[in-house]
Structure formats: C-alpha cells, structure tokens
Amino acid sequence: MGILIRLVITAVSLWIATLVIDGIQLTADTAAAKAGTLLAVAVIFGLINAILRPIIKTIGCGLYVLTLGLVAIIVNGLLLLLTSWVAGRLDLGFHVDGVVAAILGALLVGVVSWALNMLVPDGDD
C-alpha cells in the first residue's frame, strides 16, 4: 500500500511540475488519460531512479563530495530528461524540453514529493 501512495505522490508532483514549468508538457486529452499518463510516468521515473541513481552515486561519489552534493540537482534533472525520453518511446504524452526545464522540474518534483510525503504517515508511527 505504501508503494501505491508514493506512486500517487510522485504523479501529483509531476502534474504540478507540468503546471508550473513551461518546458514540461502533458499532452493527454481527457482527465483520465492525463491521470494514467502521470501514473505511468511516475512508475518510469521511480524505476529509473531506483536503478540508475545508486550506480551514478557510486561512480561519481568524488564529484558529489567535491560539490557538496550540488551535482545531485543536475543528476536529478538528467534522470527526469531520461524519463521524458523513455515516455516518448512508449508514446506517453509527457515531454520535457531541454536540460534547464528538466533541472527545474526535478527540483520542483523533489520539493513537492518531500512535502507530500511529510503529510503521509509512515507505518512506523
């Protein structure tokens, strides 16, 4: 159940990014198609982050230390750009225009996801 809640939170934060950032578009026609696209993109984004982020952190740990973690912002943006590319290959109506929009979108998705995750109680509480 927790995974589904996190998936919905990621989808909501991606939706907010499409509303706020000009370079991120959601091109589905109906509300149901938009929700389905956002959920599919959230799954893709989660899989890409789960698979690639640990590898990138291991390989580039020196760069993370050197920049005091600021390179993570760029890495997150590039992972969002990769998510957009995969979504395009799967004919999903989600597209990110360029690196700047991807970095701003990744920052917004991260902040919104963090805020929404704070509102959802853990199973430990």
Side-chain angles (χ1 to χ4, degrees):
M1 188 67 172
I3 292 173
L4 292 176
I5 292 171
R6 304 290 183 235
L7 179 69
V8 170
I9 287 173
T10 303
V12 168
S13 56
L14 286 167
W15 173 65
I16 291 172
T18 63
L19 297 176
V20 174
I21 308 294
D22 286 332
I24 302 176
Q25 293 96 24
L26 181 62
T27 58
D29 295 332
T30 64
K34 286 181 182 182
T37 300
L38 286 169
L39 286 172
V41 171
V43 168
I44 294 168
F45 191 54
L47 287 172
I48 286 175
N49 278 323
I51 294 168
L52 291 181
R53 185 182 303 241
I55 296 169
I56 293 170
K57 280 187 173 183
T58 302
I59 292 171
C61 74
L63 197 54
Y64 276 85
V65 170
L66 184 66
T67 63
L68 301 175
L70 291 177
V71 74
I73 296 170
I74 296 169
V75 169
N76 290 342
L78 294 175
L79 291 175
L80 184 62
L81 202 57
L82 179 62
T83 301
S84 170
W85 181 80
V86 171
R89 292 290 181 195
L90 297 174
D91 290 328
L92 295 172
F94 181 82
H95 182 69
V96 178
D97 293 326
V99 177
V100 173
I103 291 172
L104 292 174
L107 277 171
L108 185 62
V109 166
V111 169
V112 171
S113 292
W114 172 78
L116 291 176
N117 278 316
M118 294 298 287
L119 299 175
V120 176
D122 288 347
D124 298 339
D125 292 346

